[in-house]
Amino acid sequence: MNTTGFITHCWKSAKLELWGCCRWALGALWLLSACSAWSQSSLAELTELRVERQDGALVLHAQLRLELGPAVEDALVKGLAVHFVAEAEVMRDRWYWYDRKLGSVSRYYRLAFQPLTRRWRLNVSNEPIPSSGLSSTISQNFESLNEALGVIRRQSGWKVANMADLDVDAHQYVAYRFRLDVSQLPRPFQIAAGNQADWNLIVSRTLRLNAESVR
């Protein structure tokens, strides 16, 4: 092979290698973009948690940033009801034993889509909501999913304990927890949900009570 042929061969090889690298880079960028689109899972963040005294009681105010992932929304549109639970407890520290519960409050939510009316129904109760016992719950209908979620996001004025049960000299705290209740799903969905981030939706926080809060 003469010098000109050798140079031409090297240039062609370099171009092929460069093109291969470019194709790999483009493929990697496409894959990252696709993964990013599919990785938008459910989200729950507590943006506010506070308590105040009101009419002889300690009441709770909480605000959530709540978004449902594609898998949960798809299940809702296909007729599956989804349950959420919000719980708060007032506890007193005890170094010699388990902490003592001074009060608690719970809210249970059942969210479902109605295909015939194209509306969203939200049932709310102080007790767990069975699939066949909706008559004892408060029911609301909404035009959009975001409107229904708005009710769940705003949790205001919940009585969590009586002020008479609190001790200004004790160490006390509020333990708050919000979750998507996977146990209410049909058994096949429970198994599948264990492997999907969309269904792993839970947030919790502890709020210490100072003397001013319980005085």
Side-chain angles (χ1 to χ4, degrees):
M1 180 182 298
N2 57 30
T3 302
T4 303
F6 177 74
I7 293 174
T8 302
H9 172 74
C10 291
W11 170 241
K12 289 182 177 179
S13 298
K15 285 200 300 182
L16 287 174
E17 184 175 350
L18 179 62
W19 173 239
C21 291
C22 290
R23 289 182 63 186
W24 181 88
L26 290 172
L29 288 173
W30 178 86
L31 182 60
L32 287 173
S33 177
C35 289
S36 176
W38 284 102
S39 63
Q40 297 174 358
S41 57
S42 297
L43 171 69
E45 292 181 353
L46 192 59
T47 59
E48 179 186 16
L49 181 65
R50 62 184 177 88
V51 293
E52 65 178 3
R53 292 169 296 170
Q54 188 177 54
D55 299 329
L58 189 72
V59 299
L60 176 84
H61 303 279
Q63 182 76 29
L64 288 165
R65 179 187 173 194
L66 177 63
E67 305 294 340
L68 301 184
V72 180
E73 286 195 28
D74 184 62
L76 281 164
V77 172
K78 290 181 178 177
L80 184 70
V82 175
H83 294 249
F84 303 91
V85 183
E87 304 165 306
E89 296 178 334
V90 178
M91 307 294 291
R92 178 184 296 170
D93 290 343
R94 293 196 296 190
W95 63 269
Y96 58 89
W97 197 241
Y98 296 112
D99 292 351
R100 179 186 174 189
K101 184 190 297 185
L102 303 177
S104 64
V105 62
S106 299
R107 290 291 186 277
Y108 298 86
Y109 304 91
R110 181 184 184 272
L111 179 62
F113 180 67
Q114 301 172 293
L116 293 179
T117 60
R118 307 296 297 176
R119 304 182 76 187
W120 298 83
R121 172 173 290 179
L122 180 66
N123 296 86
V124 185
S125 176
N126 296 332
E127 302 291 337
I129 303 175
S131 57
S132 58
L134 302 181
S135 59
S136 61
T137 67
I138 298 175
S139 178
Q140 293 177 274
N141 292 318
F142 301 91
E143 297 294 334
S144 69
L145 174 60
N146 191 57
E147 290 177 328
L149 291 177
V151 175
I152 304 176
R153 294 179 182 125
R154 295 183 298 272
Q155 303 166 7
S156 181
W158 293 0
K159 177 183 175 181
V160 67
N162 293 315
M163 296 301 300
D165 295 330
L166 305 179
D167 187 347
V168 67
D169 297 320
H171 295 285
Q172 296 153 133
Y173 62 92
V174 175
Y176 173 90
R177 188 183 188 215
F178 176 84
R179 59 189 171 87
L180 191 159
D181 190 1
V182 180
S183 67
Q184 293 276 23
L185 299 174
R187 186 61 180 171
F189 276 91
Q190 292 184 35
I191 297 173
N195 299 320
Q196 296 187 36
D198 275 13
W199 297 95
N200 187 21
L201 196 157
I202 183 171
V203 61
S204 61
R205 184 179 297 177
T206 298
L207 176 66
R208 280 285 171 184
L209 300 179
N210 54 37
E212 189 63 27
S213 301
V214 299
R215 194 181 301 277

